[in-house]
Amino acid sequence: MCGIVGYIGKRDAAPILMEGLHRLEYRGYDSAGIAVVDRAGGLRLAKCKGRVRELEKLLPQRLRGSAGIAHTRWATHGEPSDRNAHPHCDAGSRIAVIHNGIIENASALRARLEAAGVCFRSDTDTEILAHLIAAMPEAALDAAVRAALRMVTGTYGLAVLDAARPDAIVVARNGSPVVLGIGEREMFLASDPAALVRHTRNVVYLDDGEMALVRADGFETSTLDGGATVKTPSTISWTNEAFDKGDFPHFMKKEIAEQPEAVRRTLSGRLELRFQTTHLGGIELAAHELLEIRRIKILGCGSAYIAGCVGAHLIEQLARVPAHAEPASEFRYRNPVVERDTLYIAVSQSGETFDTLAAVQEIKRKGGRVLGIVNVVGSTIGRECGRGIYLHAGPEVAVVSTKTFTCTSVAFALFAIQLGRIRDLSTAHGGRLLDALAALPEQIERIIAREAEIVRLAEKFIGGEHVFFVGRSAGHAVAMEGALKLKEVSYLHAEACSAAELKHGPLALITPETPTIVVLPRDDLFHKNVSTIEEIRARQGPVFVVTHPGEPPAGVEGAFDVPTSEPELDPLLLNIPLQLLAYHVALQRSCDIDKPRNLAKSVTVE
Amino acid sequence: MSEPDEFDDLVTYLARTSRLNRPEAARLVDEVLSFLDERPQEFVCRRHRLLQGEGLPNGEIFARLAAELRRWRFRAPAYTERQIRRMIYG
């Protein structure tokens, strides 16, 4: 998704901005651009469709100037092209604007400006902002930006540079993140801390409806109405090295391999062995409040939603509270009924997912209680919820989620055990679950160590076009996540369905050319799942299983077994080989694994 | 009978995970500990009297007591410092 980076200080801005753009590449983008005010006070602009390395080729050898902004664009308004790439300028090439988000009244504003004689050079909504700001009579840049934004409806995280006043950059935020990085007589700004962490770990997050005048020696924040606000800097815990691939060929591979350590961090300090329970201090709900919960609704998008399906199953099984997961985007658009005795849980790796954030705001507006499960400390959803569970999984750079899916599932297990032990879960069962959780990192290591088996399995999928994933009960969520991973990175058409639903439609698509991967834990439903396999085999469909140790059912063409855990935690381990399978199918099909086509990390627009 | 500091963790845990407030949790802990404040010999004699009063023959009583002793919680006997050291270091 779009990325913003900016610098003002004593050094040349261009190298810092380009390095920042490289850091933001992981989010997905289709074009990039940079604007720097040079030593002569002119605005130097370069932008192009394609990768950041293409942009680098356009830059002059020496681009001197200590204030600048840069952007990676993921197209919403207007096709990916050189002219639609940001920054956008006013007619006099004085004001440069970079923008994440969508201006909803763009058509009306554009018509008004065109009627006033403005000629547009792009199809974007962002260019409107540049012309509006340039047209404002206010002398100060922050006042001009404020006046322009009063005319705008929509979402934005934006940065504005004025060649006539290069001693400051103005940033504003409404629905799209902006973070300021505080240096030694220099300031950085970005939409994502990943772009800053090499230079400073001392940051300030803007809130919605807030803007900042950023100078080399500091910053002033205010509301869009002009009232001053006070911000307290916080420290990013992630290091610069955490954003590097190291010796791994892809971030996806690195993040799969990091799962044992990531799970250890998610568990760290949260297992209360003395009382056979877990303790999540951040949820900030007293026992009597937890006991009054009648229902739990989990909201997320993509893998976060699917992790929510795993979580709903865990909560129902362990705490015996009705729980259900729903895509946040669907929830927010259907005028949901928000009940006081329902606990809402919002899941987002980045903590910036637009639809999930909008759902959180809708729930709060209607008086509901919402917990966040997020990975990025200080993120908008984390702050908006005010309570919840941080995953501590470390930065996830690959567009496809792997370690944060696993860690989110672990976080749900921790929550379900805590809730269950307050209710009816026995000490003995709690103790067994704690032992099983503690064993997970080592069990994941054992699965990853058998990667060679997955490589051989992947060879059987690379020539096909369609793959089915089938699971039952909690195994259905594993099938959903397996299918999502495969389609995201390998571009194979992958579809998940419940084993019980197979004969109600999808069975019609089973052919000898359509392999099915069945999630087959050796649990109470094992024999029902074997019957499903027989139904597929009767239609000559090839079957592969992800299962537990033991003789695989007759007729399956491939099997991978994972270590056994407590039955409720089986999905966490059954998912790992499917991540590796997606990776190796994509690798053998020569796909761009870390930057899948059309996809973006952290979807911060509607 | 309990000294509050010894069971502070348990009281904190109960106050955090139940509808009890801290004084109520402390009282509950105290009640339970009082209920279990018996040595094995005292327990056996008390239960023997009770079961005998119900008319059970000794053979049946002894079998039942053996099963109950496996499940019941007891205060530990007094240990010397030497015994404690050997528990830790073998």
Side-chain angles (χ1 to χ4, degrees), chain A residues 313-337:
Chain A
H313 190 81
L314 281 162
I315 290 166
E316 284 207 345
Q317 293 306 302
L318 300 178
R320 306 305 296 159
V321 178
H324 179 247
E326 181 179 346
S329 49
E330 291 297 317
F331 176 84
R332 62 174 288 232
Y333 283 122
R334 62 175 171 78
N335 188 20
V337 176

PDB file of all heavy atoms in Angstrom, chain A residues 313-337:
ATOM      1  N   HIS A 313     -12.939 -20.608  17.338  1.00  0.00           N
ATOM      2  CA  HIS A 313     -13.037 -22.027  17.676  1.00  0.00           C
ATOM      3  C   HIS A 313     -12.403 -22.286  19.055  1.00  0.00           C
ATOM      4  O   HIS A 313     -12.986 -22.993  19.889  1.00  0.00           O
ATOM      5  CB  HIS A 313     -12.343 -22.847  16.588  1.00  0.00           C
ATOM      6  CG  HIS A 313     -12.597 -24.304  16.706  1.00  0.00           C
ATOM      7  ND1 HIS A 313     -13.734 -24.903  16.241  1.00  0.00           N
ATOM      8  CD2 HIS A 313     -11.853 -25.283  17.275  1.00  0.00           C
ATOM      9  CE1 HIS A 313     -13.685 -26.210  16.505  1.00  0.00           C
ATOM     10  NE2 HIS A 313     -12.554 -26.450  17.124  1.00  0.00           N
ATOM     11  N   LEU A 314     -11.225 -21.699  19.270  1.00  0.00           N
ATOM     12  CA  LEU A 314     -10.544 -21.880  20.561  1.00  0.00           C
ATOM     13  C   LEU A 314     -11.401 -21.354  21.719  1.00  0.00           C
ATOM     14  O   LEU A 314     -11.522 -22.006  22.766  1.00  0.00           O
ATOM     15  CB  LEU A 314      -9.197 -21.135  20.539  1.00  0.00           C
ATOM     16  CG  LEU A 314      -8.049 -21.838  19.814  1.00  0.00           C
ATOM     17  CD1 LEU A 314      -6.948 -20.842  19.472  1.00  0.00           C
ATOM     18  CD2 LEU A 314      -7.493 -22.963  20.682  1.00  0.00           C
ATOM     19  N   ILE A 315     -11.976 -20.175  21.513  1.00  0.00           N
ATOM     20  CA  ILE A 315     -12.772 -19.564  22.591  1.00  0.00           C
ATOM     21  C   ILE A 315     -14.005 -20.413  22.893  1.00  0.00           C
ATOM     22  O   ILE A 315     -14.343 -20.661  24.062  1.00  0.00           O
ATOM     23  CB  ILE A 315     -13.148 -18.118  22.211  1.00  0.00           C
ATOM     24  CG1 ILE A 315     -11.897 -17.225  22.230  1.00  0.00           C
ATOM     25  CG2 ILE A 315     -14.213 -17.557  23.150  1.00  0.00           C
ATOM     26  CD1 ILE A 315     -12.078 -15.876  21.554  1.00  0.00           C
ATOM     27  N   GLU A 316     -14.663 -20.882  21.833  1.00  0.00           N
ATOM     28  CA  GLU A 316     -15.860 -21.700  22.072  1.00  0.00           C
ATOM     29  C   GLU A 316     -15.501 -23.005  22.780  1.00  0.00           C
ATOM     30  O   GLU A 316     -16.206 -23.437  23.683  1.00  0.00           O
ATOM     31  CB  GLU A 316     -16.565 -22.011  20.749  1.00  0.00           C
ATOM     32  CG  GLU A 316     -17.328 -20.808  20.221  1.00  0.00           C
ATOM     33  CD  GLU A 316     -18.509 -21.179  19.334  1.00  0.00           C
ATOM     34  OE1 GLU A 316     -18.596 -22.339  18.878  1.00  0.00           O
ATOM     35  OE2 GLU A 316     -19.340 -20.306  19.103  1.00  0.00           O
ATOM     36  N   GLN A 317     -14.382 -23.617  22.359  1.00  0.00           N
ATOM     37  CA  GLN A 317     -14.017 -24.904  22.934  1.00  0.00           C
ATOM     38  C   GLN A 317     -13.542 -24.770  24.381  1.00  0.00           C
ATOM     39  O   GLN A 317     -13.884 -25.588  25.216  1.00  0.00           O
ATOM     40  CB  GLN A 317     -12.905 -25.564  22.100  1.00  0.00           C
ATOM     41  CG  GLN A 317     -13.340 -25.972  20.708  1.00  0.00           C
ATOM     42  CD  GLN A 317     -14.570 -26.869  20.720  1.00  0.00           C
ATOM     43  OE1 GLN A 317     -14.559 -27.932  21.338  1.00  0.00           O
ATOM     44  NE2 GLN A 317     -15.644 -26.437  20.073  1.00  0.00           N
ATOM     45  N   LEU A 318     -12.740 -23.748  24.637  1.00  0.00           N
ATOM     46  CA  LEU A 318     -12.086 -23.673  25.951  1.00  0.00           C
ATOM     47  C   LEU A 318     -12.860 -22.832  26.959  1.00  0.00           C
ATOM     48  O   LEU A 318     -12.821 -23.106  28.153  1.00  0.00           O
ATOM     49  CB  LEU A 318     -10.665 -23.111  25.799  1.00  0.00           C
ATOM     50  CG  LEU A 318      -9.733 -23.942  24.905  1.00  0.00           C
ATOM     51  CD1 LEU A 318      -8.369 -23.277  24.793  1.00  0.00           C
ATOM     52  CD2 LEU A 318      -9.584 -25.359  25.450  1.00  0.00           C
ATOM     53  N   ALA A 319     -13.551 -21.802  26.492  1.00  0.00           N
ATOM     54  CA  ALA A 319     -14.258 -20.927  27.439  1.00  0.00           C
ATOM     55  C   ALA A 319     -15.765 -21.111  27.360  1.00  0.00           C
ATOM     56  O   ALA A 319     -16.481 -20.591  28.205  1.00  0.00           O
ATOM     57  CB  ALA A 319     -13.898 -19.467  27.155  1.00  0.00           C
ATOM     58  N   ARG A 320     -16.230 -21.846  26.365  1.00  0.00           N
ATOM     59  CA  ARG A 320     -17.650 -22.110  26.174  1.00  0.00           C
ATOM     60  C   ARG A 320     -18.459 -20.821  26.088  1.00  0.00           C
ATOM     61  O   ARG A 320     -19.550 -20.693  26.664  1.00  0.00           O
ATOM     62  CB  ARG A 320     -18.218 -23.022  27.293  1.00  0.00           C
ATOM     63  CG  ARG A 320     -17.464 -24.325  27.489  1.00  0.00           C
ATOM     64  CD  ARG A 320     -17.327 -25.146  26.244  1.00  0.00           C
ATOM     65  NE  ARG A 320     -18.607 -25.622  25.700  1.00  0.00           N
ATOM     66  CZ  ARG A 320     -18.765 -25.995  24.432  1.00  0.00           C
ATOM     67  NH1 ARG A 320     -17.743 -25.902  23.575  1.00  0.00           N
ATOM     68  NH2 ARG A 320     -19.935 -26.426  24.011  1.00  0.00           N
ATOM     69  N   VAL A 321     -17.903 -19.859  25.386  1.00  0.00           N
ATOM     70  CA  VAL A 321     -18.604 -18.610  25.076  1.00  0.00           C
ATOM     71  C   VAL A 321     -18.828 -18.613  23.560  1.00  0.00           C
ATOM     72  O   VAL A 321     -17.880 -18.854  22.806  1.00  0.00           O
ATOM     73  CB  VAL A 321     -17.755 -17.376  25.466  1.00  0.00           C
ATOM     74  CG1 VAL A 321     -18.480 -16.077  25.090  1.00  0.00           C
ATOM     75  CG2 VAL A 321     -17.443 -17.389  26.943  1.00  0.00           C
ATOM     76  N   PRO A 322     -20.062 -18.346  23.101  1.00  0.00           N
ATOM     77  CA  PRO A 322     -20.271 -18.306  21.649  1.00  0.00           C
ATOM     78  C   PRO A 322     -19.350 -17.269  21.004  1.00  0.00           C
ATOM     79  O   PRO A 322     -19.278 -16.131  21.468  1.00  0.00           O
ATOM     80  CB  PRO A 322     -21.742 -17.886  21.508  1.00  0.00           C
ATOM     81  CG  PRO A 322     -22.359 -18.180  22.827  1.00  0.00           C
ATOM     82  CD  PRO A 322     -21.271 -18.046  23.852  1.00  0.00           C
ATOM     83  N   ALA A 323     -18.634 -17.689  19.975  1.00  0.00           N
ATOM     84  CA  ALA A 323     -17.678 -16.780  19.334  1.00  0.00           C
ATOM     85  C   ALA A 323     -17.750 -16.965  17.831  1.00  0.00           C
ATOM     86  O   ALA A 323     -17.985 -18.078  17.335  1.00  0.00           O
ATOM     87  CB  ALA A 323     -16.261 -17.065  19.838  1.00  0.00           C
ATOM     88  N   HIS A 324     -17.549 -15.869  17.131  1.00  0.00           N
ATOM     89  CA  HIS A 324     -17.694 -15.905  15.677  1.00  0.00           C
ATOM     90  C   HIS A 324     -16.765 -14.865  15.070  1.00  0.00           C
ATOM     91  O   HIS A 324     -16.623 -13.766  15.604  1.00  0.00           O
ATOM     92  CB  HIS A 324     -19.159 -15.588  15.312  1.00  0.00           C
ATOM     93  CG  HIS A 324     -19.410 -15.577  13.843  1.00  0.00           C
ATOM     94  ND1 HIS A 324     -19.745 -14.426  13.163  1.00  0.00           N
ATOM     95  CD2 HIS A 324     -19.366 -16.567  12.915  1.00  0.00           C
ATOM     96  CE1 HIS A 324     -19.899 -14.730  11.877  1.00  0.00           C
ATOM     97  NE2 HIS A 324     -19.681 -16.013  11.707  1.00  0.00           N
ATOM     98  N   ALA A 325     -16.135 -15.221  13.960  1.00  0.00           N
ATOM     99  CA  ALA A 325     -15.271 -14.270  13.250  1.00  0.00           C
ATOM    100  C   ALA A 325     -15.972 -13.805  11.977  1.00  0.00           C
ATOM    101  O   ALA A 325     -16.711 -14.566  11.354  1.00  0.00           O
ATOM    102  CB  ALA A 325     -13.940 -14.927  12.904  1.00  0.00           C
ATOM    103  N   GLU A 326     -15.701 -12.559  11.626  1.00  0.00           N
ATOM    104  CA  GLU A 326     -16.339 -11.979  10.439  1.00  0.00           C
ATOM    105  C   GLU A 326     -15.336 -11.018   9.782  1.00  0.00           C
ATOM    106  O   GLU A 326     -14.615 -10.308  10.494  1.00  0.00           O
ATOM    107  CB  GLU A 326     -17.590 -11.209  10.874  1.00  0.00           C
ATOM    108  CG  GLU A 326     -18.340 -10.590   9.716  1.00  0.00           C
ATOM    109  CD  GLU A 326     -19.603  -9.848  10.174  1.00  0.00           C
ATOM    110  OE1 GLU A 326     -20.035 -10.031  11.325  1.00  0.00           O
ATOM    111  OE2 GLU A 326     -20.131  -9.083   9.360  1.00  0.00           O
ATOM    112  N   PRO A 327     -15.316 -10.952   8.446  1.00  0.00           N
ATOM    113  CA  PRO A 327     -14.446  -9.944   7.820  1.00  0.00           C
ATOM    114  C   PRO A 327     -14.857  -8.542   8.267  1.00  0.00           C
ATOM    115  O   PRO A 327     -16.047  -8.199   8.239  1.00  0.00           O
ATOM    116  CB  PRO A 327     -14.703 -10.148   6.324  1.00  0.00           C
ATOM    117  CG  PRO A 327     -15.200 -11.548   6.199  1.00  0.00           C
ATOM    118  CD  PRO A 327     -15.990 -11.812   7.451  1.00  0.00           C
ATOM    119  N   ALA A 328     -13.883  -7.765   8.701  1.00  0.00           N
ATOM    120  CA  ALA A 328     -14.181  -6.430   9.237  1.00  0.00           C
ATOM    121  C   ALA A 328     -14.877  -5.554   8.205  1.00  0.00           C
ATOM    122  O   ALA A 328     -15.730  -4.729   8.538  1.00  0.00           O
ATOM    123  CB  ALA A 328     -12.880  -5.772   9.702  1.00  0.00           C
ATOM    124  N   SER A 329     -14.515  -5.757   6.931  1.00  0.00           N
ATOM    125  CA  SER A 329     -15.091  -4.918   5.876  1.00  0.00           C
ATOM    126  C   SER A 329     -16.592  -5.144   5.763  1.00  0.00           C
ATOM    127  O   SER A 329     -17.360  -4.211   5.551  1.00  0.00           O
ATOM    128  CB  SER A 329     -14.411  -5.240   4.552  1.00  0.00           C
ATOM    129  OG  SER A 329     -14.388  -6.637   4.365  1.00  0.00           O
ATOM    130  N   GLU A 330     -17.039  -6.398   5.909  1.00  0.00           N
ATOM    131  CA  GLU A 330     -18.471  -6.704   5.840  1.00  0.00           C
ATOM    132  C   GLU A 330     -19.187  -6.141   7.060  1.00  0.00           C
ATOM    133  O   GLU A 330     -20.273  -5.583   6.963  1.00  0.00           O
ATOM    134  CB  GLU A 330     -18.678  -8.227   5.781  1.00  0.00           C
ATOM    135  CG  GLU A 330     -18.229  -8.849   4.488  1.00  0.00           C
ATOM    136  CD  GLU A 330     -19.026  -8.323   3.306  1.00  0.00           C
ATOM    137  OE1 GLU A 330     -20.254  -8.199   3.398  1.00  0.00           O
ATOM    138  OE2 GLU A 330     -18.393  -7.995   2.285  1.00  0.00           O
ATOM    139  N   PHE A 331     -18.560  -6.287   8.201  1.00  0.00           N
ATOM    140  CA  PHE A 331     -19.173  -5.852   9.459  1.00  0.00           C
ATOM    141  C   PHE A 331     -19.485  -4.362   9.440  1.00  0.00           C
ATOM    142  O   PHE A 331     -20.588  -3.929   9.749  1.00  0.00           O
ATOM    143  CB  PHE A 331     -18.207  -6.181  10.599  1.00  0.00           C
ATOM    144  CG  PHE A 331     -18.665  -5.713  11.956  1.00  0.00           C
ATOM    145  CD1 PHE A 331     -19.543  -6.475  12.708  1.00  0.00           C
ATOM    146  CD2 PHE A 331     -18.207  -4.511  12.489  1.00  0.00           C
ATOM    147  CE1 PHE A 331     -19.955  -6.045  13.963  1.00  0.00           C
ATOM    148  CE2 PHE A 331     -18.617  -4.081  13.723  1.00  0.00           C
ATOM    149  CZ  PHE A 331     -19.492  -4.852  14.477  1.00  0.00           C
ATOM    150  N   ARG A 332     -18.524  -3.565   8.968  1.00  0.00           N
ATOM    151  CA  ARG A 332     -18.690  -2.116   9.097  1.00  0.00           C
ATOM    152  C   ARG A 332     -19.733  -1.565   8.147  1.00  0.00           C
ATOM    153  O   ARG A 332     -20.275  -0.492   8.366  1.00  0.00           O
ATOM    154  CB  ARG A 332     -17.343  -1.404   8.899  1.00  0.00           C
ATOM    155  CG  ARG A 332     -16.739  -1.603   7.523  1.00  0.00           C
ATOM    156  CD  ARG A 332     -15.513  -0.771   7.359  1.00  0.00           C
ATOM    157  NE  ARG A 332     -15.830   0.626   7.238  1.00  0.00           N
ATOM    158  CZ  ARG A 332     -15.401   1.423   6.253  1.00  0.00           C
ATOM    159  NH1 ARG A 332     -14.625   0.930   5.311  1.00  0.00           N
ATOM    160  NH2 ARG A 332     -15.720   2.681   6.215  1.00  0.00           N
ATOM    161  N   TYR A 333     -20.006  -2.285   7.055  1.00  0.00           N
ATOM    162  CA  TYR A 333     -20.942  -1.747   6.058  1.00  0.00           C
ATOM    163  C   TYR A 333     -22.388  -2.179   6.287  1.00  0.00           C
ATOM    164  O   TYR A 333     -23.260  -1.803   5.532  1.00  0.00           O
ATOM    165  CB  TYR A 333     -20.504  -2.180   4.655  1.00  0.00           C
ATOM    166  CG  TYR A 333     -19.340  -1.373   4.142  1.00  0.00           C
ATOM    167  CD1 TYR A 333     -18.159  -1.986   3.779  1.00  0.00           C
ATOM    168  CD2 TYR A 333     -19.418   0.017   4.045  1.00  0.00           C
ATOM    169  CE1 TYR A 333     -17.080  -1.249   3.327  1.00  0.00           C
ATOM    170  CE2 TYR A 333     -18.344   0.755   3.593  1.00  0.00           C
ATOM    171  CZ  TYR A 333     -17.175   0.116   3.231  1.00  0.00           C
ATOM    172  OH  TYR A 333     -16.122   0.850   2.789  1.00  0.00           O
ATOM    173  N   ARG A 334     -22.639  -3.000   7.317  1.00  0.00           N
ATOM    174  CA  ARG A 334     -24.021  -3.487   7.423  1.00  0.00           C
ATOM    175  C   ARG A 334     -24.735  -2.946   8.655  1.00  0.00           C
ATOM    176  O   ARG A 334     -25.623  -3.584   9.178  1.00  0.00           O
ATOM    177  CB  ARG A 334     -24.048  -5.008   7.391  1.00  0.00           C
ATOM    178  CG  ARG A 334     -23.318  -5.682   8.530  1.00  0.00           C
ATOM    179  CD  ARG A 334     -23.516  -7.191   8.447  1.00  0.00           C
ATOM    180  NE  ARG A 334     -22.673  -7.890   9.383  1.00  0.00           N
ATOM    181  CZ  ARG A 334     -22.935  -7.989  10.671  1.00  0.00           C
ATOM    182  NH1 ARG A 334     -24.008  -7.448  11.178  1.00  0.00           N
ATOM    183  NH2 ARG A 334     -22.097  -8.651  11.467  1.00  0.00           N
ATOM    184  N   ASN A 335     -24.342  -1.770   9.088  1.00  0.00           N
ATOM    185  CA  ASN A 335     -24.970  -1.149  10.253  1.00  0.00           C
ATOM    186  C   ASN A 335     -25.143  -2.173  11.362  1.00  0.00           C
ATOM    187  O   ASN A 335     -26.260  -2.526  11.745  1.00  0.00           O
ATOM    188  CB  ASN A 335     -26.324  -0.533   9.849  1.00  0.00           C
ATOM    189  CG  ASN A 335     -26.909   0.289  10.986  1.00  0.00           C
ATOM    190  OD1 ASN A 335     -26.194   0.703  11.892  1.00  0.00           O
ATOM    191  ND2 ASN A 335     -28.203   0.515  10.941  1.00  0.00           N
ATOM    192  N   PRO A 336     -24.049  -2.685  11.910  1.00  0.00           N
ATOM    193  CA  PRO A 336     -24.127  -3.829  12.823  1.00  0.00           C
ATOM    194  C   PRO A 336     -24.818  -3.487  14.147  1.00  0.00           C
ATOM    195  O   PRO A 336     -24.760  -2.344  14.611  1.00  0.00           O
ATOM    196  CB  PRO A 336     -22.664  -4.173  13.069  1.00  0.00           C
ATOM    197  CG  PRO A 336     -21.937  -2.897  12.846  1.00  0.00           C
ATOM    198  CD  PRO A 336     -22.676  -2.195  11.753  1.00  0.00           C
ATOM    199  N   VAL A 337     -25.459  -4.501  14.696  1.00  0.00           N
ATOM    200  CA  VAL A 337     -26.018  -4.365  16.045  1.00  0.00           C
ATOM    201  C   VAL A 337     -24.873  -4.582  17.030  1.00  0.00           C
ATOM    202  O   VAL A 337     -24.232  -5.632  17.005  1.00  0.00           O
ATOM    203  CB  VAL A 337     -27.121  -5.427  16.283  1.00  0.00           C
ATOM    204  CG1 VAL A 337     -27.640  -5.344  17.713  1.00  0.00           C
ATOM    205  CG2 VAL A 337     -28.241  -5.253  15.273  1.00  0.00           C
TER     206      VAL A 337
END
